[in-house]
Amino acid sequence: MKQIYLDNASTTPLKKEVLDAMMPYLTNEFGNPSSLYDLGQTASDVVQESRDELASLIGAKSSEIYFTSGGSESDNWAIKGFAEKHACEGKHMITSAIEHHAVLHTFKHLEKLGFEVTYLPVDSQGLVSVDDLADAIRDDTILVSIMLANNEIGTIEPIAELASVAKERGVAFHTDAVQAFGHIPIDVNELGVDMLSASAHKLGGPKGVGLLYIRRSIKLENLIDGGQQERGRRATTENVAGIVGFAKAAELAWSEMGEERARLIELRDHAIRRILAEIPHSKLNGSWQSRLANNINFSFEFIEGEGMLLQLAARGICVSSGSACTSGSLDPSHVLLAIGLPHEIAHGSLRVTLGEDTTLEDIDFTVDSLKKILELLRSMSPLYEDFKRGNYASIIEGYKNDGMTNVN
Ligand SMILES: *Cc1c(COP(=O)(O)O)cnc(C)c1O
């Protein structure tokens, strides 16, 4: 059976050119960049070239790029390192309700240590309001952390506007750009951010390597103490092959970005239009305009996301569900609840994220499969039975005027 991978927000396949670029550093060129002989210097040089490449892609200086083990470490370092360093100036920080757990759980940890955190709400499309941020900033606010693009619903936040509000008030700004990096143009100065997290495996690079951009003027404590790697700010022997792969993946992503985005938007919108036209009681979650090119997130009424997921998996289609049942929790995703979805329809959600290998045939096969699966699951759903008999009011019908909902 053919496998159709549509879970690229979770991770992406390693690109062939990336593996080729990494291979020498996994084999013959195995030196430690801290060693002074040639083998070490070759490794040290290639780490520096990779740093230069990544810095230039996002308009940063090379000396502002620090390699880490991935997005989660970058988020932890930015937030914990900044909080520890600046606790004497204030103990209040601001984030949004829809952040990745790498950010949310980091703030939860800091709350236990005596910091105070404001979680900004989002609107029905998942957007943070600039006015809400302005109102939330206090004299003792030291840091704002808001993601560039959401990993579940693909909403792209107005980071330049949000960061400029923080800057006016002298508050540092971090953005988790893990889901956006390599997918939309990013320039740290145009965005006006002080720190930015990225991770290689979300753009065709290897797992276990990421970066934290730290603007020169920003001071933070180390997260990983030890040797003098990363200019004394992050210890552990460099993941040389990973770093080379990260730079190669980013170089490819930036050079293909314009064309690839246009192609994905066409596929995405084709899928969205087909679903809205052909699958009754379906609703697109998030924003249609301010949305990552590869993200589709739908709620389907009267059924559970898990059921759809398993039926799709049986047809070789890999997608993700908006409920967290698989991870042992019965709560629906915090992101879907934050955009105001009632539990009933948040549970029936599906995230489909396209990638470089995705074709029109894959999309049509997936939508065709989804239609059949939903008919089957609804035919077995007591809720659907009740609805047909007029004993259950449709929730999705309440959204009928948003242009992103099929209530037929
Ligand atoms: C995947 C992801 C992370 C975590 O990145 P890792 O490299 O897997 O640790 C953090 N934030 C967002 C928005 C993500 O999508």
Side-chain angles (χ1 to χ4, degrees), residues 23-59:
M23 204 46 110
Y25 306 96
L26 292 165
T27 52
N28 297 335
E29 299 291 349
F30 60 86
N32 184 325
S34 299
S35 304
L36 293 178
Y37 39 77
D38 283 355
L39 199 60
Q41 285 311 293
T42 305
S44 169
D45 290 348
V46 82
V47 167
Q48 188 53 35
E49 285 160 26
S50 303
R51 198 187 307 280
D52 295 344
E53 172 74 32
L54 284 157
S56 81
L57 292 174
I58 60 170

Side-chain angles (χ1 to χ4, degrees), residues 9-10 69-73 75 99-103 147 149-151 176-180 198-202 208-210 351:
S10 152
S69 65
S72 299
E73 186 193 324
D75 288 341
E99 299 295 313
H100 189 272
H101 284 135
V103 167
M147 68 200 324
N150 183 267
N151 46 296
D176 174 344
V178 174
Q179 206 56 235
S199 177
H201 77 97
K202 303 284 175 82
V209 60
R351 180 186 73 182

Side-chain angles (χ1 to χ4, degrees), residues 90-321:
K91 292 197 136 188
H92 178 240
M93 296 182 282
I94 301 171
T95 188
S96 84
I98 61 163
E99 299 295 313
H100 189 272
H101 284 135
V103 167
L104 284 181
H105 291 171
T106 296
F107 279 116
K108 290 285 168 215
H109 175 89
L110 289 171
E111 281 179 321
K112 283 190 251 164
L113 300 182
F115 287 89
E116 201 187 327
V117 182
T118 299
Y119 299 88
L120 295 177
V122 293
D123 68 11
S124 62
Q125 308 205 333
L127 291 162
V128 175
S129 136
V130 178
D131 290 340
D132 284 352
L133 175 60
D135 290 344
I137 296 177
R138 317 188 310 211
D139 289 343
D140 62 341
T141 307
I142 53 173
L143 179 69
V144 176
S145 177
I146 296 173
M147 68 200 324
L148 182 44
N150 183 267
N151 46 296
E152 290 187 35
I153 54 175
T155 301
I156 301 170
E157 300 294 337
I159 293 300
E161 288 86 340
L162 294 164
S164 124
V165 165
K167 189 174 180 179
E168 273 169 34
R169 305 281 295 272
V171 177
F173 197 100
H174 165 254
T175 189
D176 174 344
V178 174
Q179 206 56 235
F181 199 88
H183 298 274
I184 57 175
I186 291 178
D187 181 296
V188 291
N189 295 313
E190 280 170 24
L191 288 176
V193 296
D194 297 307
M195 295 185 278
L196 177 146
S197 305
S199 177
H201 77 97
K202 303 284 175 82
L203 56 136
K207 293 170 185 62
V209 60
L211 67 77
L212 180 62
Y213 156 78
I214 310 174
R215 189 177 290 280
R216 232 180 91 121
S217 53
I218 296 292
K219 301 278 174 281
L220 60 164
E221 287 296 332
N222 291 352
L223 187 67
I224 314 233
D225 291 310
Q228 287 302 302
Q229 291 89 358
E230 300 297 297
R231 303 175 302 292
R233 295 179 81 174
R234 198 256 182 187
T236 196
T237 303
E238 295 85 343
N239 175 1
V240 179
I243 288 168
V244 169
F246 189 5
K248 186 69 191 178
E251 183 195 317
L252 291 170
W254 255 262
S255 70
E256 296 161 358
M257 195 182 290
E259 248 174 86
E260 181 61 1
R261 265 176 90 204
R263 189 185 77 89
L264 290 176
I265 286 173
E266 201 162 305
L267 288 182
R268 178 196 74 185
D269 290 351
H270 171 74
I272 292 174
R273 286 200 194 92
R274 267 202 69 189
I275 293 172
L276 287 178
E278 299 173 38
I279 304 186
H281 288 267
S282 59
K283 163 175 168 40
L284 177 67
N285 294 318
S287 159
W288 202 338
Q289 289 78 37
S290 187
R291 186 180 201 102
L292 288 175
N294 74 343
N295 178 289
I296 300 168
N297 187 309
F298 263 93
S299 282
F300 299 102
E301 198 162 21
F302 316 118
I303 43 112
E304 291 284 328
E306 300 296 288
M308 279 187 286
L309 207 78
L310 296 174
Q311 291 282 336
L312 286 164
R315 289 167 166 81
I317 302 169
C318 311
V319 298
S320 145
S321 142

